């Protein structure tokens, strides 16, 4: 009956209050953004919009979807995310399955992968490599460099290790090959792990902007995050030397808000469906026996 | 033990092969022979291509008619009329990304573009050191058209950052004195209170006091104040929401954060006497509620929202700022903004402001052989500024201007195919802004004096809002208050180490004094510490740079005397 004591009740009121505040802290910025995207320019530049649109209009959305650059960037981002996640997951499951077995040199291989987690060549060598491989200005420059992530690999390997060996042996006796075992036994059984890692990769691809700006010399090939970076962040205008056309484009806060809002939607929509695997995926994958 | 030796064997094999691979890839050499283009009747045949780097926000504003970065009305014009094709091969959005990409290009992983606009003095310096940019002393002397020479002659100091050992490695992008700042005041508030626009610091104080205490908007609430400005990044923003006028009222030409040429010796404005009096004034005003309460957290662009909302009565900025704050006339009924010159200093002299002479410099790939072609193209870009030739009115009909019923118009909504906004040349050419020779607003001054608007530049100026026009006219009439920064070289060695700390200390001290968190005497302590903590060495180095930069008479070498 501990939950009837005063101390417990005070604690749980505090808990509710805290969770509500934390929830609001996450939700209100989004609401503010939505209100801005539906407000008139004059009201926004006068700082008069908080959580309810002032001077309601949907121009910003019309302009956003009429902007071919925005739509192109959206398409690039979707292609990149789908392609990148598929390639990554293919490599990771194959590698993860193999590395979850005992074989000679396994630790050395693992060590190599972990090494890349701790040290990287840095920007210049990566750039030279991508340029020399002729990947610049193609979607492959966005997809390939990060396709194999050691952190995700470790999660998957540990997940695969939790699957009983006996299962695999039984399958061998029934005549299954490695690939059949991987696709028919390991993948379905480790769905939480796969979902978690996929979500990591997807969100990573969706949000990554720097590589887009770095490797694309044509802004029409930018993915959405790079596009937004140029529109939203850069216009903070630290520098006083800017062109008049940039100054003119500045004040369109409602369009920026609409673009940010639209761009967060897909990931918000995907999240609930994958989120339920999350706890299981990470905990199971991380705990070693 | 066995395992460990295995591992080292593998590591050494990997490293060795990496070295081998890296060594091999250097073997190839580029030996392309371009067909010789000949300049015939002002046109190259066969057409030649000039590759350029560009810092541009490609997503701000848009191309019309399905055009793109490398295929638009201006690139096609260049091909058809000059036989010169401009191709952007390096594109960066904001300053830091652009600089990063330029630095990466310097690694030699790809060909450096022929023409490099560079906006960072440190990078200018590094480019010169790298030996990958062209020395253009001779080229300027030989190929620069006379019309451009006349312009560059007026701005010899713009060459300072690109001179090394008496050799010139670049040139300013379209040098031209920028417009000066004006005071934008709520005229309806002045009228309501029967006041005149302030011209001295005392009058200024009276006006902002009245704006704060006497309910200028007549709503019966004390919800207005006098003066909004930004103190987030520096007390000399140089363009909008600038409080520098108050400092200059006491320090004259020694502006905060700026180097002033005092008879051949450069001094730093923030530590000058007089700043203390200015800070005392601001501190007093802040305590009385005359100033923007959040001035230290609001950037230049944020500080104007109080004005747009109808809470603040005075803001200072370049004349085009009116465009950005005129929404107040929509938000608040009866609101009206007027432009006035900035106030006079305590000694009766004018107050000064920082100004720019150019936005970055052009540098060139050392393998670039077609300087003549570059100058031919660059000179044509100036046609719009001089209202001559192909670009008499603007760059392209239906893009930045149009002719409707035999009248030239710069209002995009009145075009034959109405546009939301004009498409400026910035998206199409290698300069961010249209090259201008209008200075701080000469054309507006002419217009105000009754000159008929018959050239492109004049028509364009006449199409602006009246308040903007007034602002530019005031800016031109007071052009003697514009002070370009005397130091425009790369950060000196000591600067690289301590400058960040010094400016942070400066900013914190100024802000704390204004907010009343520290006594006024903190300024004296700051000055003392500033000198001790590296400021003295910086002053020495800056002067050394200045003497060195003005040592060789490069202007004569370039035939620009």
């Amino acid at each position: 009956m501990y939950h009837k004591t005063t101390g417990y009740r005070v604690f749980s009121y505090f808990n509710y209050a805290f969770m509500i505040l934390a929830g609001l802290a996450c939700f209100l910025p989004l609401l503010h953004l939505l209100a801005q995207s539906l407000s008139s320019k004059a009201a926004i530049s006068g700082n008069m919009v908080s959580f309810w649109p002032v001077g309601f209009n949907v121009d910003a959305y019309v302009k956003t979807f009429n902007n071919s650059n925005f739509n192109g960037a959206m398409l690039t981002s979707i292609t990149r995310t789908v392609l990148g996640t598929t390639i990554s997951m293919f490599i990771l499951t194959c590698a993860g399955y193999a590395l979850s077995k005992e074989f000679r040199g396994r630790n050395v291989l693992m060590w190599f992968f972990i090494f890349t987690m701790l040290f990287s060549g840095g920007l210049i060598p990566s750039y030279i490599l991508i340029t020399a491989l002729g990947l610049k200005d193609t979607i492959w420059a966005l997809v390939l460099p990060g396709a194999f992530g050691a952190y995700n690999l470790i999660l998957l390997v540990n997940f695969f290790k939790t699957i009983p060996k006996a299962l695999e042996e039984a399958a061998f006796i029934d005549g299954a090959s490695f690939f059949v075992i991987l696709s028919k036994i390991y993948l379905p059984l480790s769905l939480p792990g796969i979902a978690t890692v996929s979500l990591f990769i997807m969100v990573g691809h969706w949000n990554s902007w720097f590589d887009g700006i770095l490797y694309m010399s044509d802004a029409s090939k930018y993915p959405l995050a790079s596009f937004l970076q140029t529109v939203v962040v850069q216009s903070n205008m630290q520098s006083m030397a800017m062109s008049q056309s940039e100054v003119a484009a500045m004040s369109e806060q409602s369009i920026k808000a609409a673009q940010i809002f639209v761009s967060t939607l897909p990931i918000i929509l995907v999240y609930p469906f994958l989120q339920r695997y999350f706890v299981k995926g990470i905990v199971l994958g991380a705990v070693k026996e | 033990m066995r395992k460990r030796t295995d591992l080292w064997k593998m590591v050494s094999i990997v490293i060795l092969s990496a070295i081998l691979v890296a060594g091999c890839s250097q073997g190839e050499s580029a030996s392309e022979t371009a067909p010789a283009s000949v300049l015939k009747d002002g046109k190259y045949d066969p057409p030649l291509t000039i590759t350029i780097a560009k810092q541009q926000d490609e997503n701000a504003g848009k191309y019309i008619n399905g055009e793109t970065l490398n295929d638009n009305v201006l690139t096609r014009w260049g091909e058809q009329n000059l036989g010169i094709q401009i191709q952007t091969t390096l594109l960066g959005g904001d300053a830091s990304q652009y600089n990063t990409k330029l630095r990466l290009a310097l690694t030699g992983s790809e060909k450096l573009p022929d023409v490099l606009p560079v906006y960072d003095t440190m990078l200018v310096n590094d480019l010169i050191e790298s030996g990958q940019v062209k020395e253009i002393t001779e080229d300027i002397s030989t190929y620069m058209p006379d019309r451009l020479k006349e312009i560059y002659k007026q701005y010899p100091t713009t060459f300072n950052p690109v001179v090394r050992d008496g050799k010139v490695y670049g040139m300013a992008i379209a040098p031209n004195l920028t417009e000066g700042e004006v005071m934008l005041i709520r005229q309806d508030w002045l009228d309501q209170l029967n006041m005149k626009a302030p011209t001295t610091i005392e009058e200024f104080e009276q006006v902002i006091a009245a704006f704060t205490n006497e309910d200028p908007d007549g709503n019966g609430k004390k919800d207005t104040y006098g003066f909004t400005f930004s103190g987030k990044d520096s007390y000399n923003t140089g363009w909008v929401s600038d409080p520098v006028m108050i400092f200059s009222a006491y320090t004259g030409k020694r502006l905060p954060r700026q180097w002033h040429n005092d008879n051949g010796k450069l001094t730093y404005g923030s530590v000058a006497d007089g700043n203390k009096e200015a800070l005392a004034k601001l501190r007093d005003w802040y305590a009385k509620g005359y100033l923007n309460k959040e001035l230290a957290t609001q950037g230049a662009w944020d500080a104007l929202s109080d004005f747009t909302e109808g809470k603040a009565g005075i803001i200072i900025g370049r004349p085009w700022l009116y465009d950005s704050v005129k929404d107040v006339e929509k938000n608040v009924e009866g609101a009206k903004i007027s432009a006035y010159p900035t106030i006079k200093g305590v000694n009766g002299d004018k107050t000064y402001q920082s100004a720019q002479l150019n936005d970055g410099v052009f540098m060139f790939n050392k393998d670039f052989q077609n300087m003549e072609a570059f100058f031919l193209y660059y000179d044509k870009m100036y046609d719009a500024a001089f209202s001559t030739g192909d670009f008499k009115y603007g760059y392209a009909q239906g893009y930045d201007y149009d002719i409707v019923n035999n009248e030239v118009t710069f209002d995009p909504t009145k075009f034959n195919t109405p546009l939301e906004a004009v498409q400026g040349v910035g998206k199409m050419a290698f300069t961010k802004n249209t090259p201008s020779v209008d200075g701080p607003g000469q054309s507006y001054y002419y217009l105000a004096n009754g000159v008929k608007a018959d050239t492109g530049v004049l028509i364009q100026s006449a199409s602006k809002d009246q308040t903007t026009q007034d602002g530019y006219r005031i800016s031109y009439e007071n052009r003697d208050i514009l002070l370009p920064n005397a130091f425009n070289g790369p950060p000196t060695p000591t600067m690289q180490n301590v400058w960040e700390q010094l400016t942070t200390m400066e900013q914190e001290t100024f802000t704390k004094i204004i907010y009343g968190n520290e006594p006024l005497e903190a300024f004296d302590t700051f000055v003392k510490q500033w000198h001790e903590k590296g400021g003295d060495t910086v002053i020495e180095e800056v002067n050394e740079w200045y003497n060195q930069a003005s040592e060789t008479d490069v202007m004569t070498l370039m035939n620009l005397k």
Side-chain angles (χ1 to χ4, degrees), chain B residues 391-424:
Chain B
F391 304 138
K392 194 161 57 172
Y393 297 119
Y395 287 98
Q397 190 175 349
Y399 290 77
D400 57 344
Y401 77 98
D402 206 352
I403 300 176
V404 184
N405 302 328
N406 287 326
E407 293 247 347
V408 180
T409 176
F410 287 89
D411 179 354
T413 55
K414 297 205 179 96
F415 283 10
N416 291 319
T417 314
L419 300 175
E420 265 169 44
V422 296
Q423 194 190 347

Side-chain angles (χ1 to χ4, degrees), chain B residues 11-12 43 85 122 174 177 181 206 220 241 252 273 278 399 426 540:
Chain B
V11 170
S12 41
K43 192 176 170 183
Q85 194 180 9
M122 192 70 202
L177 192 58
E181 293 164 20
Q206 285 161 13
S241 309
D273 301 335
Y399 290 77
E540 243 169 67

Side-chain angles (χ1 to χ4, degrees), chain B residues 497-539:
Chain B
N497 289 329
V498 301
W499 199 245
E500 181 104 28
Q501 292 151 37
L502 291 182
T503 49
T504 309
M505 179 168 76
E506 170 189 329
Q507 197 62 18
E508 282 181 7
T509 312
F510 281 28
T511 303
K512 280 181 179 162
I513 293 176
I514 294 175
Y515 273 42
N517 295 338
E518 291 223 19
L520 195 53
E521 286 66 42
F523 179 75
D524 301 320
T525 326
F526 154 71
V527 173
K528 198 164 151 276
Q529 288 194 336
W530 189 90
H531 283 289
E532 281 167 5
K533 288 186 171 169
D536 282 332
T537 333
V538 170
I539 293 179

Side-chain angles (χ1 to χ4, degrees), chain A residues 40-48 63 66-70 104-105 107-109 111-112 123-124 127-128 131-132 136 209-210 212-220 222 226-231 233-247 249-251, chain B residues 2-3 6-7 10-11 14 55-63 69 88-95 97 100-101 104-105 107 109-110 179 232-233 237-239 298 301 304-306 308-309 318 320 323-324 327 330-331 354-356 359 420 424 426-427 432-433 464 472:
Chain A
S40 73
K41 177 177 165 289
I44 295 171
S45 49
N47 215 3
M48 294 154 85
K63 278 187 191 163
N66 277 340
N67 183 340
S68 61
N69 273 6
F70 179 86
R104 241 173 78 97
N107 287 336
V108 177
L109 270 177
W111 186 84
F112 269 124
L123 182 61
I124 294 175
Y127 185 81
I128 295 178
T131 318
K136 245 185 109 209
W209 58 270
F210 186 66
I213 285 173
L214 199 61
Y215 296 128
M216 301 295 149
S217 53
D218 184 351
S220 61
Y222 280 175
S226 311
F227 173 88
L228 286 177
Q229 164 74 14
T230 59
V231 175
V233 183
Q234 288 177 12
S235 333
N236 280 337
M237 302 192 303
Q238 289 302 318
S239 116
M240 58 189 207
M242 63 179 326
S243 71
Q244 308 253 329
S245 62
E246 282 177 77
V247 170
M250 255 313 291
S251 345
Chain B
R2 222 191 78 105
K3 260 208 169 128
D6 269 2
L7 189 123
M10 258 179 122
V11 170
V14 169
Q55 186 207 320
Q56 169 176 286
D57 177 356
E58 269 290 288
N59 298 309
K62 59 179 180 184
Y63 297 99
L69 183 62
T88 308
T89 54
L90 191 156
L91 177 78
D94 73 355
Q97 286 159 14
T100 307
K101 286 186 92 164
L104 287 170
T107 59
S109 55
E110 63 201 308
E179 63 277 3
K232 189 183 174 202
D233 304 310
T237 70
W239 60 312
Q298 291 191 319
W301 206 260
L304 54 82
S305 68
D306 276 355
T308 323
E309 195 179 347
R318 305 255 179 109
W320 46 256
D323 253 344
S324 308
D327 279 337
K330 258 188 240 166
N331 287 337
S354 57
Q356 277 179 295
D359 183 11
E420 265 169 44
K427 287 202 76 91
K432 280 201 235 173
N433 281 314
K464 299 275 167 64
Y472 274 102

